[in-house]
Amino acid sequence: MTTDLYCVMGHPVSHSRSPWIHARFAELTGQHLHYEKREIPLTHFDASVQAFIREGGLGCNITVPFKFEAAKIATHTSERGLLAQASNILTFRDGQILGDNTDGIGLVIDIERNTGLPLRGLRLLLIGAGGAAAGVLGPLLQAGPAHISVANRTLHKATELVARHLPLATQQKTELVAHTLHGLGDPFDVVINATATSLSGAAVPVAARVLKPGALAYDMMYGPGAQGFMDWARAHGAVPRDGLGMLVEQAAEAFLIWRGVRPPSAQVLAELHKVIQG
């Protein structure tokens, strides 16, 4: 019996839990596949994808910093991928490269189902306007919050991201605005860090006044890198959460696309927490 080949591509990627997650998904659903990490040189993304296809690879997850490049090399892209202009999943089929983005639905499922917090009617702050933020803004809007502020170091990137999503925001009756990191006013119910500050160990890029008492403070990174943001959130009266649940839920969506079966993501997330805690 042949074993189908998948991978995660990124730079860095050594910290990734994706191989463990997909191996467990496969075990629980009776699928036969091999999933590995591939750390890609910053200037060799396209060539690395083509090499993987020649090896017989059927799909890959894309992480920092290649999500925009992944969207550009796709020959066909899903509606949510087109809106994001960033892809975190590529599928290789019949000579085509199919781009999609499961980050946003993974984030929304983790917040709404795994933490039990419905987003409808809430005020959200999304910090960052890069590939991570672009991938989640559409699904966040579809969850029906009253307001989303997108704050970024450079205002024009936030403005561009907001402009692309304004038709959806209008349809959802959600107020959507762009800010600089220091131009934020009233506090928020949910604050989501979609910047790479956690990877680099940099300081939290916004002031603590953005947090309502008891706000959910969510870092899309996970593991030791997210600890600084989570400590900051806890110290200022917020409820911290890292992106491990989002990682599992976006992976479950990718697995469904690739294999046609939805794995038991809640069970795998619980097991992964135990693995990490030792």
Side-chain angles (χ1 to χ4, degrees):
M1 181 179 295
T2 59
T3 300
D4 295 334
L5 178 63
Y6 298 88
C7 76
V8 56
M9 292 187 180
H11 186 102
V13 79
S14 60
H15 67 287
S16 177
R17 297 281 182 171
S18 292
W20 186 94
I21 293 167
H22 281 276
R24 189 68 180 123
F25 285 168
E27 184 178 11
L28 291 170
T29 57
Q31 298 288 306
H32 296 277
L33 59 86
H34 174 71
Y35 187 108
E36 61 190 32
K37 304 175 189 177
R38 294 205 172 189
E39 181 138 344
I40 305 303
L42 292 175
T43 57
H44 291 75
F45 177 71
D46 194 353
S48 299
V49 171
Q50 295 300 329
F52 185 67
I53 293 172
R54 288 194 296 271
E55 291 172 36
L58 297 183
C60 59
N61 288 119
I62 309 298
T63 187
V64 175
F66 299 119
K67 293 181 182 183
F68 287 130
E69 289 184 65
K72 290 176 182 176
I73 70 169
T75 55
H76 295 79
T77 305
S78 69
E79 185 176 339
R80 59 191 176 189
L82 287 172
L83 183 59
Q85 294 184 7
S87 294
N88 77 316
I89 168 178
L90 296 176
T91 304
F92 313 119
R93 188 180 300 149
D94 301 325
Q96 305 295 321
I97 300 176
L98 312 177
D100 203 344
N101 200 307
T102 62
D103 279 338
I105 189 63
L107 173 63
V108 170
I109 289 173
D110 188 43
I111 292 175
E112 293 200 322
R113 188 181 72 189
N114 297 340
T115 77
L117 177 65
L119 294 174
R120 182 163 299 279
L122 298 187
R123 285 176 47 81
L124 276 57
L125 170 60
L126 181 62
I127 309 170
V136 302
L137 183 52
L140 286 172
L141 284 165
Q142 289 168 336
H147 174 99
I148 300 180
S149 285
V150 178
N152 194 59
R153 182 176 55 84
T154 54
L155 181 60
H156 76 91
K157 284 191 70 175
T159 301
E160 288 175 357
L161 184 59
V162 163
R164 193 162 73 243
H165 287 78
L166 273 179
L168 178 57
T170 300
Q171 177 186 325
Q172 294 295 111
K173 298 182 172 58
T174 299
E175 183 181 32
L176 178 63
V177 293
H179 293 279
T180 64
L181 294 173
H182 305 293
L184 297 162
D186 295 334
F188 297 87
D189 302 294
V190 180
V191 174
I192 300 167
N193 184 20
T195 72
T197 53
S198 295
L199 276 180
S200 63
V204 175
V206 293
R209 66 174 181 273
V210 302
L211 297 166
K212 278 187 179 178
L216 174 65
Y218 195 108
D219 196 322
M220 287 170 55
M221 299 297 176
Y222 61 92
Q227 197 60 50
F229 180 87
M230 294 176 69
D231 290 345
W232 168 83
R234 189 179 291 109
H236 292 95
V239 178
R241 186 173 181 86
D242 72 5
L244 194 67
M246 174 184 169
L247 175 72
V248 172
E249 298 296 350
Q250 65 80 24
E253 292 292 317
F255 194 90
L256 174 62
I257 291 168
W258 289 334
R259 311 301 296 183
V261 59
R262 181 178 294 279
S265 54
Q267 174 185 341
V268 172
L269 177 58
E271 292 175 354
L272 183 54
H273 276 298
K274 290 180 181 178
V275 168
I276 291 172
Q277 291 164 3

